[in-house]
Every structure is written in structure tokens, then in C-alpha cells.
Amino acid sequence: MDPSIPRPVGDPHDPDADPVETREWVEALDALIETEGAERATFLLRRLLQHARTRRVPLPQVLATPYVNTIGLDEQPPYQGNLEIESRISALVRWNALAMVVRANRASGELGGHIASYASAADLFEVGFNHFFRGGERGDLVYFQPHSAPGVYARAYLEGRLTEDALDHYRRETGGKGLSSYPHPWLMPTFWQFPTGSMGLGPLFAIYQARFMRYLGHRGLAQTAGRKVWAFVGDGEMDEPESLAGLSIAAREKLDNLVLVVNCNLQRLDGPVRGNGSIVQELEGLFAGAGWNVVKLLWSSDWDPLFARDVHQWLEKRFLETVDGEFQTYAATSGAFNREHFFNKYPELRELVAHLSDDDIDRLRRGGHDPVKIFSAYWHASRHEGQPTVILAKTKKGYGMGTAGQGRMTTHQQKKLDTGELLAFRDRFALPIADAQCEACEFVRPPRDSPEMAYLHARREKLGGYLPVRSTKAEPLATPEAKAFAKFALEAAGKEMSTTVAFVRMAGQLLRDAALGKRIVPIIADEARTFGMADLFRQIGIYSPIGQLYQPEDQHQLSYYKEATEGQILEEGINEAGAIASWVAAATSYSVHGVAMLPMYIYYSMFGFQRVGDEIWAAADSRSRGFLFGATAGRTTLSGEGLQHEDGTSHLIASTIPNCRAYDPALAYELAVILEDGMRRMLGQQEDVFYYVTLMNESYAQPSMPEGATEGILRGMHRVHAAGGGKGPKVRLLGAGTILQEALAAAELLERDWSIAADVFSVTSFTELRREAMAASRARRISPSPLGEGRGEGRTWIESQLPQSGAPVIAACDYVSAVPDLIRPWIRDPYVALGTDGFGRSDTRASLRRFFEVDRHSIAVAALSALGDARAPEAVKRYGMDPATAPPWTR
Ligand SMILES: Cc1ncc(C[n+]2csc(CCOP(=O)(O)OP(=O)(O)O)c2C)c(N)n1
């Protein structure tokens, strides 16, 4: 409780030892405010608090303010719209949203849909649409609460941007014209900009979007001044760690281009968000503590006269002692119930509302349902400088759904309304709909020249256009050829280097490219030194909105730690979630800002798909274009790090993301070809794909690129060693990543020790091989004519590289064996897939490879055994393998 508020005399929760003295202090403060103003009062309070601290006086909790609106009546701007018409528009949006969900559910009970969430958020959205969200190319960026999508569709329908047929296909998308359940740019590429369906990612992405906007501005790449990011979040959603993860960076970087609106309807799916407490007060403390500007939007204008008369703050006292579980019950019950249980607790409050009927009490709205108060909160938020703003808007879940849902424990999943409930909804919002129309749940859109539609269009015109709308185009960028940035790799001639070193050199060259260089966004999560990239600090600088306020310790070094306002590197610290959020902002900049960027995020591969996989999935949904580099990749090439650091799965997960092109190159020239192709496809041809490329820190001799290798590298495999022409048996060895070196060594062993000839292939992408083969199989499977066109008659790359010949195929990689298993169905000869299944361990590379049985000896033994060669047991012995050991994945 704020101690500056005089408690009513005799308050049992806050006993006062000397009420007269208290009053004197309070009166003194009042007098000060009156004569010298609030600023002076703030100054004196701050001084008093500082003094109290030096005297070691325990301080009260000062982050929580009373349970009332932050913005006083005297600070409220006049409403700049026609409330009457707006309320009719908003009723229509509410109706169409509800009709859409109910109709979908009538068509098939299988189809989900939410009404109650949008019912609580409707006014918050509508005031934004009518007065704040700027459209057009330099418009605002709005992250919508995901399951409020029906309301956004319903508005777009009124605006004439969606047809009735489209609404009738809500959640029925497979026919090609449906509306997606949540905001999905992948499914509705000209409509939704930001996927928010996985809770917590919306607020995180919004924060990093606001920051990236600043970055573009500081680097002179886009005009971003005045643009705002608005993000609508559920109060239950605020429990996601990701929702809170970006709070401090937003405050630290003073992102006053960001407004987060938390829809505090006090409920989540199962029940209350904080039944025994107060989510508003808790969030206020969290946001204020992190340095945000907090605006509580709790009570509507209906309450203003009551507050004015309540000089002893009995209302504040009653609010503060009411837990959210009770507030929910008040939302679900009648005016009579509220009077009895809320107001009648104290005679003073009973008296305060004595002139109101029960119906009047029922009509006392919460702040988030009053356009006037919402307008005021948005108005202040959009003018606030130096801090991001959070608006904590108190609403009722299922607002206006009456007994069908308002405040009900089960309201989240309510998607069926009977006729009586529909009629009650119509009456509640004074909708001009006949009974029969209502019963049939007909969509309603007044004619274009009606006052409502004229107003709605005029507002959007004034604000620069409609939204959400997603731009699919960006100016194509010319991208360099590999020989321009990777000559050293194409002509390596046996020079030893790791693919990480090769990457760093290529990135350095690309950063110097006249056209492309400045579009590259290097992103790092505190591992630049690990990957040998520290030189870049000095070369291109680390982005900091306030430059560098200190002389770096290493200032005399050539590559010192340089922070700069126009710095190019996003150094995210130990924050993979934030780094991916930055990457998504940069990777979608072509659409969001019309400025194509090329983000290159390089990280410990274990802390990518495994750690932030859902963000990468959302990045895919967002149609991101950029490079993810999983460095120190693989389970045995990062030796000596062990279980939690050694990645054996990222390529398996990457293979499940349809627009992710995943490559595991072994050779520097392969990396060059992949980079060249990726840039061309993403920046030149504007394909909505992104690249995942693994990099290793193991040095070995890098050959020059042979003629004609490009196609194989990009399609997934190419031959790097041809078997000698002898007459003996033959095998084919596939190696991926650094395990290619083991496959090459195994070929030598097979030839030398057992006179078996081996071809060796470098597999750059099991995923790409599989995708092409899957498409071919499907064409063959479902083609209407047995021999006709489109039967995938052409040979797939796997078939052309590994034609049926009787020679076994042994594949080995540094990931779980399920990765090489991805291509098993298309190999006609005996196939053995070796991988690194199990937990990682610390040891040398050689020991780890032996442990996981992906070393040269294990590959050679696998080849002998696949050939049915009777000498296999002899090889096991000769190579020191122990058949008695348990499989690595059980250890
Ligand atoms: C990561 C994640 N977990 C669970 C869900 C399923 N889900 C969708 S809405 C919802 C409840 C949302 O509650 P709240 O954030 O309070 O929003 P409200 O609907 O009350 O406005 C849940 C659990 C989800 N979409 N994403």
C-alpha cells in the first residue's frame, strides 16, 4: 500500500499509532503540491527517500501504486472521435467475430475458435484502429493477441478487405482460401505480419522489433522516427518467461517507440491468472522495476463521479483488498450481487452507490472497455519519451457475452451460443439485426455509404491505410559470386583451416562488399571470441544506441571492443532468445521496412534449435530470410565440452522446418557455394527461405573446388573420391560435416587393409536430398496415369548419385543416425546409417568418434559387414573394437 494515501481512520489492515500526526504530514504534502506543484513534491519525496535510506529506515514497497488509473481526470485529453458511431462500429465487429466462430463451430464441431478473448480486447483494438495505429509503408507495427484474430478478421471484413466467403472459411484452410486460426504470415502472406500464436513470442519479438527499428534508423538505413510498435498481450501470457525476457533491454535502450498493452481480463484458459492476488499490481511492480513507464487503465469514466465523491479513498481500499478471483466473480454476476458483496462491505461504500440502481452498478465498466480512458492511455503512451510504456488494461473476459461467458471459468473455450444467448448479445450491443438473421448468425456489413462505413474508412484513410497488411516485396539486391568473397576457399589447394575460420574470412569479405556489406547484420550471443570474430568489433563496431561512454580496457589493441551508435554488430550477450528475436526482425526487414537485410547469427549450435526451436519455427512462419550458423557443431567435433554442449540433433529438427535449407558442409568451398546460393535465392530471387549452416572448429586440409561440383553441393551430395579401378568388391561411403574426413580415411583403410574399393561422397544436406526424393515419390504415388507426365520419372539426385549397383552404402555423420536415415527409403542397396546417438561426453575427437562408432575404423567395419565379408570379425579385432560394449546411446 502506498503510505502517502491517508488510510481511513481505524483501518484494521494498517493501524495508525498517531493519526493526527499522519494527517499533518499529509496536509503538508497537499499544501506543497498546491503551492509549488507536483514536480517539487516529487523532488522532496525523492530527497526524503534518499535521506531515509542513509538513515537505514526500512522503505515501504514503492513500485506499487493504488489500484486506480494512472492518468488523472485532469490529464485526460478530449476524445477526438465520434463515440456514438464508434460504438456502433465496434458492435458490428464484435458481432461478426462472434458469428464467424459460432458458424465455424456449427459447420463442424471439430473446429475451434475463441470469442471470449476478443470480447475482452475489442475496445482496446478499436480505439487503436480508429485513432492510433498508423498504416502505410511507414506505419506502425501491431502485434495482435493471437486468439483475438477473429476480431481482426471481422474488422477487415467491414473494411471490405475480406469477403464473407473468407470468413466462412475461418479455420478451414486446406482448400486454399481459409483464414488461419492465429496470425500466420506463412498462411496469409498479404495479411498477417507477425506470428504471435505461440504465447510469449509476441512480446519478445515486439521488443526486439522496436529495437531493430532504432538500429536501422541509427545506421541510416531507414527512416524510422515516429513509427511505433504496439503489442497486445494476455495477462496469462505474461507468465511465459519469454514475455518478460526483453523487459530490461527495452528500458535500457529507452524504447519509447514501443507500447505494450496487457489485456488484464484476469483469466487465462483454465481459470484466474492470479486468483489469490492481483496480476495488475504484480505486473506494475515488474515493469516499473525494469524501468518502464506503467499506465494503469483500470476504471472507466463511469467511476469518475464516484472517485470524486470518495474523499477518504474507500474505493481504493476496497479495490486493494479484493483479489482477482473475486473480481472475476464480480464480472460474472449481476449489479445486485456486486452491490451486496463489493460495496456493502463498508457503510461508506454502501452510501457512495446508494443513488445507483443495480443496473447502474452493472454498467460500471472496467477501464479497458471505455474508449475515452483507452484513448487517454494511448495518447499519453504515444507521447511518452525516454521509456517504453506498458498499459495494464483491466477488462472482463467474455465481455458482453452475458450468461454465455462473461467472467465464467470456462469462457475461454466457449464457442457455442444458443439462440437466446445470441439475441441477448444483439440487444446488449444494440445491433440492428432481426431475430432470424441473428439466429442464423448472419454476417452484417452496412452499405459503403452508411455513416458507420464512411466513418471507418475515413479514419483509416486519415491514419495512412488499413492494417494488418503484409508487404511481400522488397527491392532485389545484387549478390556477389563466390569467387568475389571466397577465392581462398575455392582455391584452397590443401591449406588447413576449419569451416568456422573459412566462414569468418568470407563474412569479412562480404562486409566489405560495396552493395551488400552494410545490409549484413552480424548477430552474436557472447561467443564472438570463441568463433574468432573479435576483429569485427573494431572493423564494424557493436551497436549501442548511446555509443561508448567509456575507454575500453583494450583500446590500444588493433581490434578493440568498440561500441558505436552506428555499430553494425548486434552483440546480444548471453541471450539466445533475444538474439533470435533480433535475427527475425532483421530477416523480415525486407517486408516490414522495405529494406532487405541479411542477418547472420552465429552461435553454439547446441543452443539453437534445441534451446530456441519454437522461435525458429515462428521465424519460418514469418517468412524470414537470413542465415543461421550453428557453430562448434556436431557431437564429436566440439571435443571436450560434453553432454550439454555437443549438438547431435539440430539437423534433425532443421529437417522438419519446410522453408529451412539446412546444410552440413565439410569443406570450405562447399560453404562458399552454399552462401552464394543462399544470398542469391533470398536477396536476389526473393524466395521465402532461410539457411541453417553448421560450422566446425576442426582444422584439416581443404582441397580446391573441382569443376562441376556446384550442383551436387546444393542438391545435397557430391563425389569427392572415386574408387580405384580394381576388380575387388566395392562400397560407397557417405560422410557429412567433419565426419567426411573419417569416411575418406575409411576408404583408405578398406583399400589398404582389405582390398575393397570405395567411392566417397560428401553429403552437404540429407534434408535437401530427402525433400527432392519425397516429392518424386509422391508424384509417382498419386499420379493419375501410370506412365504419364508428372510421375517423377526424372531421376532424383539420390538415384543419380547412388544408382542401384549392389554396392552397399555406409553413411556417417556427427548427428544422430536418424539424420542419415532420412534418405534410407530411396537407397536400393544395403544401407548403414551411423551417427552419434546418445549423450555427449568430454574427450578428444578421436576418442569421441570411436565411442560413438563414427570413426574410420567403425566405418570400415560397417562396410565389411554390409558386404557380408567374412573378415568383418577380424577387422573388429584388428581395429581394437570391443563387441562387448553396450551401444553408446544406452550409456
Ligand atoms: C506457448 C503457448 N502455450 C499455450 C497456448 C494455448 N493457449 C492459447 S490462449 C491461452 C490462454 C490465454 O490466456 P491469456 O493470455 O490470459 O489471454 P486471454 O485469452 O485471457 O485474453 C492458452 C493457454 C499457446 N497458444 N501458446
Side-chain angles (χ1 to χ4, degrees):
M1 261 186 221
D2 189 329
S4 69
I5 299 161
R7 292 285 123 226
V9 180
D11 179 351
H13 301 293
D14 194 9
D16 190 342
D18 190 346
V20 177
E21 187 186 39
T22 307
R23 192 166 308 129
E24 280 170 11
W25 278 81
V26 170
E27 281 168 6
L29 184 68
D30 281 346
L32 177 78
I33 298 168
E34 225 139 275
T35 53
E36 299 186 48
E39 257 177 57
R40 173 75 187 148
T42 306
F43 174 82
L44 269 182
L45 284 172
R46 201 166 51 231
R47 271 292 154 85
L48 276 175
L49 284 173
Q50 276 167 2
H51 189 64
R53 272 193 195 111
T54 57
R55 299 292 311 272
R56 300 282 187 276
V57 176
L59 292 184
Q61 155 75 282
V62 288
L63 291 177
T65 63
Y67 203 77
V68 295
N69 294 339
T70 305
I71 298 162
L73 202 50
D74 53 338
E75 300 163 301
Q76 205 170 289
Y79 199 75
Q80 288 159 18
N82 182 333
L83 279 168
E84 226 272 311
I85 288 198
E86 285 181 24
S87 98
R88 275 185 270 148
I89 296 172
S90 118
L92 287 166
V93 182
R94 282 176 184 280
W95 169 260
N96 287 317
L98 175 125
M100 178 170 37
V101 176
V102 175
R103 282 163 75 108
N105 193 254
R106 279 182 188 171
S108 164
E110 276 177 52
L111 299 174
H114 303 93
I115 311 167
S117 302
Y118 176 66
S120 66
D123 299 298
L124 298 172
F125 286 12
E126 278 302 299
V127 173
F129 277 122
N130 283 325
H131 300 282
F132 290 91
F133 304 158
R134 274 164 309 170
E137 268 186 26
R138 298 250 197 90
D140 292 344
L141 311 173
V142 187
Y143 290 70
F144 290 99
Q145 223 189 327
H147 44 295
S148 289
V152 182
Y153 294 139
R155 183 167 236 273
Y157 166 67
L158 282 192
E159 292 167 345
R161 301 197 299 134
L162 289 178
T163 62
E164 203 162 296
D165 189 41
L167 297 202
D168 253 338
H169 284 82
Y170 169 60
R171 292 193 178 223
R172 274 181 286 173
E173 302 175 271
T174 56
K177 59 179 170 184
L179 302 180
S180 54
S181 45
Y182 304 106
H184 291 305
W186 186 261
L187 299 173
M188 295 176 65
T190 57
F191 193 84
W192 293 116
Q193 286 182 292
F194 309 113
T196 50
S198 180
M199 313 217 107
L201 300 192
L204 182 69
F205 283 0
I207 289 169
Y208 279 85
Q209 178 66 256
R211 174 174 181 247
F212 187 71
M213 216 147 80
R214 282 280 164 78
Y215 168 93
L216 283 180
H218 278 136
R219 292 197 51 222
L221 292 165
Q223 270 288 354
T224 56
R227 294 185 79 178
K228 289 246 179 285
V229 174
W230 298 82
F232 290 84
V233 191
D235 49 358
E237 184 175 3
M238 288 308 299
D239 280 342
E240 292 285 3
E242 289 87 349
S243 300
L244 300 170
L247 258 48
S248 51
I249 194 174
R252 198 182 323 128
E253 301 211 353
K254 302 186 180 5
L255 299 179
D256 53 17
N257 56 350
L258 171 68
V259 182
L260 206 65
V261 182
V262 186
N263 176 8
C264 297
N265 58 27
L266 313 186
Q267 290 178 247
R268 42 178 165 72
L269 192 152
D270 282 346
V273 179
R274 292 287 182 277
N276 294 316
S278 167
I279 189 63
V280 168
Q281 297 300 91
E282 184 178 322
L283 290 177
E284 175 178 39
L286 271 169
F287 277 94
W292 285 55
N293 173 42
V294 181
V295 175
K296 295 205 298 204
L297 164 58
L298 306 185
W299 308 111
S300 71
S301 311
D302 314 323
W303 293 79
D304 285 338
L306 299 180
F307 283 121
R309 287 176 38 232
D310 181 30
V311 288
H312 290 293
Q313 283 94 22
W314 282 96
L315 278 172
E316 282 179 26
K317 172 181 161 54
R318 187 74 185 97
F319 289 149
L320 269 186
E321 70 191 18
T322 305
V323 292
D324 285 356
E326 291 174 290
F327 273 127
Q328 183 191 331
T329 302
Y330 293 136
T333 48
S334 66
F337 184 95
N338 275 252
R339 181 196 298 282
E340 180 60 28
H341 293 87
F342 183 81
F343 292 106
N344 287 358
K345 174 151 185 204
Y346 297 113
E348 290 80 355
L349 286 181
R350 179 200 299 261
E351 186 53 32
L352 193 68
V353 295
H355 64 296
L356 299 180
S357 69
D358 287 349
D359 281 348
D360 290 337
I361 289 180
D362 199 36
R363 280 192 289 267
L364 291 172
R365 289 163 305 163
R366 293 184 178 172
H369 298 305
D370 178 5
V372 173
K373 296 288 186 199
I374 299 171
F375 182 88
S376 169
Y378 288 4
W379 191 90
H380 280 277
S382 49
R383 279 161 184 72
H384 188 80
E385 287 180 9
Q387 286 174 301
T389 293
V390 64
I391 295 173
L392 303 173
K394 189 175 168 91
T395 59
K396 289 180 180 175
K397 191 146 178 171
Y399 182 66
M401 287 168 68
T403 50
Q406 183 172 291
R408 298 273 173 211
M409 208 54 97
T410 52
T411 189
H412 188 85
Q413 281 155 319
Q414 177 65 285
K415 53 195 177 191
K416 287 183 194 153
L417 269 78
D418 63 29
T419 304
E421 289 161 342
L422 289 169
L423 292 172
F425 188 90
R426 174 198 66 182
D427 297 342
R428 165 72 183 75
F429 291 104
L431 283 150
I433 310 176
D435 286 6
Q437 269 183 303
C438 192
E439 210 172 327
C441 261
E442 282 183 21
F443 296 122
V444 181
R445 178 165 53 190
R448 176 81 198 211
D449 57 358
S450 65
E452 292 87 356
M453 294 301 97
Y455 184 90
L456 173 136
H457 288 293
R459 293 308 310 164
R460 288 313 316 163
E461 226 161 82
K462 179 110 198 293
L463 286 161
Y466 301 91
L467 55 80
V469 61
R470 183 179 177 280
S471 159
T472 53
K473 67 173 179 11
E475 87 284 33
L477 287 181
T479 55
E481 288 183 21
K483 60 178 184 282
F485 64 88
K487 199 157 180 290
F488 71 93
L490 303 178
E491 297 166 12
K495 194 160 179 272
E496 283 205 6
M497 78 187 100
S498 69
T499 47
T500 303
V501 165
F503 163 73
V504 174
R505 275 185 74 177
M506 290 176 205
Q509 293 285 337
L510 287 169
L511 282 161
R512 283 188 204 99
D513 184 280
L516 185 72
K518 60 181 187 305
R519 304 295 187 101
I520 295 174
V521 185
I523 303 174
I524 290 156
D526 203 30
E527 296 286 358
R529 292 185 201 281
T530 314
F531 308 135
M533 297 174 74
D535 282 356
L536 289 184
F537 291 160
R538 162 76 180 75
Q539 189 187 324
I540 51 174
I542 296 164
Y543 172 68
S544 153
I546 51 169
Q548 193 156 32
L549 306 179
Y550 60 97
Q551 295 287 338
E553 178 278 327
D554 58 353
Q555 59 181 306
H556 304 300
Q557 305 285 321
L558 207 56
S559 59
Y560 69 91
Y561 194 84
K562 177 182 162 195
E563 299 194 54
T565 313
E566 68 291 343
Q568 191 165 354
I569 299 172
L570 289 175
E571 163 63 89
E572 305 290 0
I574 312 165
N575 183 351
E576 285 80 9
I580 286 280
S582 276
W583 184 83
V584 173
T588 54
S589 173
Y590 70 94
S591 159
V592 176
H593 303 289
V595 181
M597 302 295 287
L598 185 64
M600 295 184 163
Y601 170 33
I602 178 167
Y603 55 90
Y604 244 111
S605 79
M606 187 60 154
F607 305 129
F609 284 87
Q610 172 148 320
R611 173 91 187 204
V612 290
D614 193 37
E615 283 183 78
I616 301 178
W617 184 251
D621 186 351
S622 306
R623 297 175 172 265
S624 291
R625 300 174 187 169
F627 286 104
L628 293 174
F629 292 103
T632 54
R635 198 158 259 160
T636 70
T637 45
L638 173 64
S639 58
E641 292 289 347
L643 185 150
Q644 201 81 57
H645 277 62
E646 288 168 353
D647 164 33
T649 52
S650 65
H651 274 289
L652 193 58
I653 308 174
S655 77
T656 64
I657 302 182
N659 51 346
C660 175
R661 302 276 158 263
Y663 286 96
D664 184 22
L667 304 171
Y669 70 75
E670 294 174 344
L671 176 64
V673 168
I674 293 162
L675 287 188
E676 176 196 75
D677 182 61
M679 290 189 290
R680 187 180 47 78
R681 286 177 65 178
M682 295 187 291
L683 298 175
Q685 298 176 0
Q686 311 270 317
E687 284 184 49
D688 289 337
V689 292
F690 68 99
Y691 280 67
Y692 174 59
V693 184
T694 38
L695 302 173
M696 277 71 67
N697 58 349
E698 182 178 359
S699 277
Y700 39 81
Q702 297 285 348
S704 297
M705 179 159 154
E707 276 290 309
T710 303
E711 183 179 13
I713 293 170
L714 297 177
R715 293 180 74 169
M717 68 187 290
H718 64 120
R719 197 169 66 177
V720 292
H721 169 78
K727 282 219 166 86
K730 206 173 147 184
V731 293
R732 291 167 291 182
L733 307 181
L734 317 186
T738 52
I739 301 302
L740 174 64
Q741 302 305 316
E742 297 300 323
L744 287 165
E748 267 184 48
L749 288 180
L750 286 165
E751 188 114 9
R752 188 192 70 199
D753 295 348
W754 313 99
S755 300
I756 294 171
D759 277 347
V760 182
F761 295 81
S762 171
V763 177
T764 49
S765 178
F766 283 106
T767 311
E768 289 301 293
L769 292 173
R770 176 180 173 85
R771 284 197 180 131
E772 186 202 30
M774 277 170 65
S777 291
R778 173 182 179 274
R780 288 166 196 166
R781 193 166 63 240
I782 69 172
S783 172
S785 83
L787 290 167
E789 243 178 84
R791 287 207 350 112
E793 298 286 293
R795 286 201 307 172
T796 64
W797 196 248
I798 297 177
E799 287 161 345
S800 77
Q801 297 299 297
L802 301 172
Q804 187 164 14
S805 70
V809 180
I810 319 299
C813 73
D814 211 7
Y815 299 86
V816 289
S817 56
V819 174
D821 257 339
L822 289 170
I823 60 167
R824 179 182 295 280
W826 297 279
I827 303 215
R828 309 266 174 248
D829 295 299
Y831 185 61
V832 182
L834 302 177
T836 52
D837 299 76
F839 286 119
R841 275 167 171 67
S842 302
D843 214 319
T844 61
R845 289 190 182 109
S847 304
L848 285 170
R849 286 170 188 165
R850 169 52 67 93
F851 174 84
F852 284 112
E853 295 162 12
V854 292
D855 62 325
R856 58 201 65 185
H857 300 116
S858 302
I859 295 172
V861 166
L864 282 160
S865 140
L867 282 166
D869 193 312
R871 297 170 296 171
E874 187 191 332
V876 167
K877 214 158 156 199
R878 177 155 166 193
Y879 294 143
M881 294 171 73
D882 178 4
T885 50
W889 55 89
T890 64
R891 291 193 263 157

